[in-house]
Amino acid sequence: MPYPHRKTLLPLALASALLAGAPLAYADDILLVGNKADASVSALDTRNGQELLRLPVGSGPHEVVVSGNGLLAAVGNYGAQGTANNSLSVIDWPSRTVVRTIDLGQDSRPHGIRFLPDSQRVVVTTEDSERLLIVDLAQGKVLDRIEVGGGKPHMVALSPGADRAYVTHVEGGSLSVVDLLHKKKIAEIPTGQGSEGVAVTPTGTQVWVSNRAGDDVAIVDTQRLEVTDRIRTGVFPIRIAMTPDGKYALVTCAKSAELAVIDVVAKKEIKRIGLARAGAEYRRTQLGEEALPIGAVVSPDGKRVYVAISGGDEVAVIDTANWSEKARWKAGPEPDALAIVIQPKEKS
């Protein structure tokens, strides 16, 4: 589906970017980093970790996602401790510009966010109003508000066909299943204490949920809508990312400062990578004064995993060939959310 508002917004955004001297072409994919303590999103060159630009967004950018066509990024502005935000920032990537801030009104504390297949609408969880929103970024408005229940709805993942959304409830210890075609919640599955991270296998047959207070991952069968297996992890598992081939689930364990690598078919951990550095000084965050790996994203070719080290203002780069750290890049203050903008490759 075409993206209608680009015709009206892009010329102005492009002119602004040119006047500001913003670079308009990069040779490789770009890693976007949401810096929670800086109200900004950084763009890092994945060849070397160099920061290419930094864009101001709303307070507390907890999640960043990129559209399937690579033209837009959406940022959920959650707010700070004690002060809620209720907005989304929309970045037009070709012009490297924030082209719109969408006020969500009564729906504050937006957190989990995912693009729908049209690259124009997103689904967003809102903790304070206990909803899943469908927001049109072109129109700049909320199209639908779906009640998902209490217990702090936090992260969201989509089925491969985007007909279902899966929402974790941190305080409720559960996973909500939302029918996006009929705009209603159809099930709630108990998953464990502190259910937060969530990922769907490429086949759509399983949803993996990390339980940060239970130090495990629950595997939910999407047909039976029940937990079928559990896998122990490190301490405080907070996010899950799947490799593109679906072979591995990667779990960031915030309090033990590790990345757990789990074989999806065998349902067995095969490696745990330590991410804290001896003697390093870490910033104080809501979760403590520690390394605190949180956000994770896998490169499109599956060769790298990027992990946000929130307490260290860094991004760790993991080589999946041998599951070892190969680099550490500087990020902004308190990095958390990560997303990749896939750049067009020149034909040789």
Side-chain angles (χ1 to χ4, degrees), residues 1-5 65-69 72-74 88 90 102 113-124 133-144 146 158 161-163 180-183:
M1 179 182 291
Y3 189 71
H5 97 290
V65 290
V66 175
S67 60
N69 60 15
L72 293 177
L88 304 180
V90 183
I102 300 174
I113 180 169
R114 287 289 181 266
F115 265 96
L116 291 171
D118 60 15
S119 292
Q120 175 175 314
R121 296 171 300 149
V122 293
V123 293
V124 186
L133 311 183
I134 300 177
V135 182
D136 189 303
L137 303 185
Q139 299 181 56
K141 70 176 186 179
V142 178
L143 300 179
D144 296 284
I146 304 168
L158 296 174
D163 57 334
L180 291 177
L181 299 179
H182 298 93
K183 312 293 194 306

Side-chain angles (χ1 to χ4, degrees), residues 100-157:
R100 173 168 281 163
T101 299
I102 300 174
D103 188 331
L104 301 177
Q106 61 188 305
D107 299 295
S108 55
R109 296 285 191 198
H111 200 282
I113 180 169
R114 287 289 181 266
F115 265 96
L116 291 171
D118 60 15
S119 292
Q120 175 175 314
R121 296 171 300 149
V122 293
V123 293
V124 186
T125 61
T126 53
E127 288 184 359
D128 284 351
S129 60
E130 300 174 346
R131 291 169 172 157
L132 180 70
L133 311 183
I134 300 177
V135 182
D136 189 303
L137 303 185
Q139 299 181 56
K141 70 176 186 179
V142 178
L143 300 179
D144 296 284
R145 291 180 165 92
I146 304 168
E147 305 292 335
V148 294
K152 197 176 179 180
H154 198 65
M155 300 298 291
V156 63

Side-chain angles (χ1 to χ4, degrees), residues 152-171:
K152 197 176 179 180
H154 198 65
M155 300 298 291
V156 63
L158 296 174
S159 62
D163 57 334
R164 282 184 177 182
Y166 300 98
V167 177
T168 54
H169 298 254
V170 177
E171 294 175 358

Side-chain angles (χ1 to χ4, degrees), residues 267-318:
K267 299 183 178 67
K268 181 180 179 181
E269 183 181 292
I270 62 166
K271 185 75 179 281
R272 198 176 293 184
I273 304 163
L275 296 170
R277 290 186 162 180
E281 294 185 6
Y282 294 112
R283 69 164 49 244
R284 181 169 296 281
T285 73
Q286 281 184 260
L287 296 178
E289 195 171 334
E290 305 170 45
L292 295 172
I294 299 183
V297 68
V298 186
S299 63
D301 61 11
K303 294 181 178 180
R304 286 181 173 184
V305 183
Y306 303 100
V307 181
I309 311 299
S310 290
D313 300 343
E314 297 173 316
V315 173
V317 184
I318 308 298

